[in-house]
């Protein structure tokens, strides 16, 4: 059985969240080092949002997963489709202003897919990350 880094019992939910935080911390440190070396290279990270229909929930009860997917995506409108989840990455690749900034965390507003295709690409922006991170 696995343990958490702090020696506590393994908690899949906390491990997932910690991995997202580590992604941001790594990105910020890498950008700091690249800036220090004067490379001109910019790095950023992103979150695709809550996409229940992927393998992330593979160890959950399939009935729970389906109900949660419907509730998060269709009722509460906080979940994303795979199409919208990939939109943040697409935005980061294609938007010219992103290439001039580094060390940022990009995400779409939760449930951005609910705004429809006319809003696609307009919901993405750098998210605030605490100075402690």
């Amino acid at each position: 059985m696995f343990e958490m880094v702090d020696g506590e019992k393994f908690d899949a939910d906390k491990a997932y969240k910690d991995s997202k935080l580590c992604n941001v911390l790594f990105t910020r440190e890498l950008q700091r080092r690249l800036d220090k070396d004067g490379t001109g290279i910019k790095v950023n990270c992103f979150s695709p949002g809550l996409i229940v229909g992927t393998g992330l929930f593979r160890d959950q009860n399939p009935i729970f997963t389906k109900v949660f997917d419907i509730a998060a995506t269709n009722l509460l409108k906080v979940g994303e489709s795979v199409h919208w989840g990939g939109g943040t990455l697409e935005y980061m690749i294609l938007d010219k202003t992103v290439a001039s900034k580094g060390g940022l965390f990009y995400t779409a507003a939760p449930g951005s897919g609910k705004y429809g295709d006319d809003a696609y690409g307009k919901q993405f922006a750098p998210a605030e990350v605490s100075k402690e991170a």
Side-chain angles (χ1 to χ4, degrees):
M1 187 51 97
F2 294 104
E3 292 181 348
M4 299 298 289
V5 173
D6 61 7
E8 295 292 318
K9 181 180 158 195
F10 181 75
D11 178 341
D13 184 53
K14 183 172 182 337
Y16 175 78
K17 292 172 184 174
D18 286 354
S19 75
K20 300 300 129 195
L21 174 60
C22 288
N23 187 22
V24 173
L25 295 174
F26 175 81
T27 300
R28 293 180 72 165
E29 177 61 17
L30 179 57
Q31 187 62 61
R32 186 190 70 76
R33 291 179 185 199
L34 291 168
D35 288 345
K36 181 181 173 188
D37 291 345
T39 65
I41 297 171
K42 302 297 180 194
V43 294
N44 293 295
C45 58
F46 79 100
S47 171
L50 175 62
I51 306 172
V52 181
T54 65
L56 182 63
F57 291 87
R58 67 185 164 276
D59 295 327
Q60 299 294 327
N61 178 310
I63 295 170
F64 165 80
T65 302
K66 189 61 178 170
V67 169
F68 184 67
D69 187 15
I70 291 168
T73 307
N74 300 329
L75 300 175
L76 301 173
K77 306 273 189 203
V78 296
E80 297 294 350
S81 66
V82 173
H83 170 75
W84 270 85
T88 308
L89 179 58
E90 179 184 10
Y91 170 79
M92 292 174 62
I93 292 168
L94 298 176
D95 187 276
K96 304 290 186 222
T97 62
V98 174
S100 65
K101 304 170 187 171
L104 299 176
F105 170 71
Y106 283 83
T107 188
S112 294
K114 68 184 174 196
Y115 299 111
D117 285 342
D118 289 340
Y120 190 78
K122 298 178 181 137
Q123 297 295 318
F124 309 114
E128 291 296 319
V129 178
S130 70
K131 289 187 174 32
E132 291 81 19

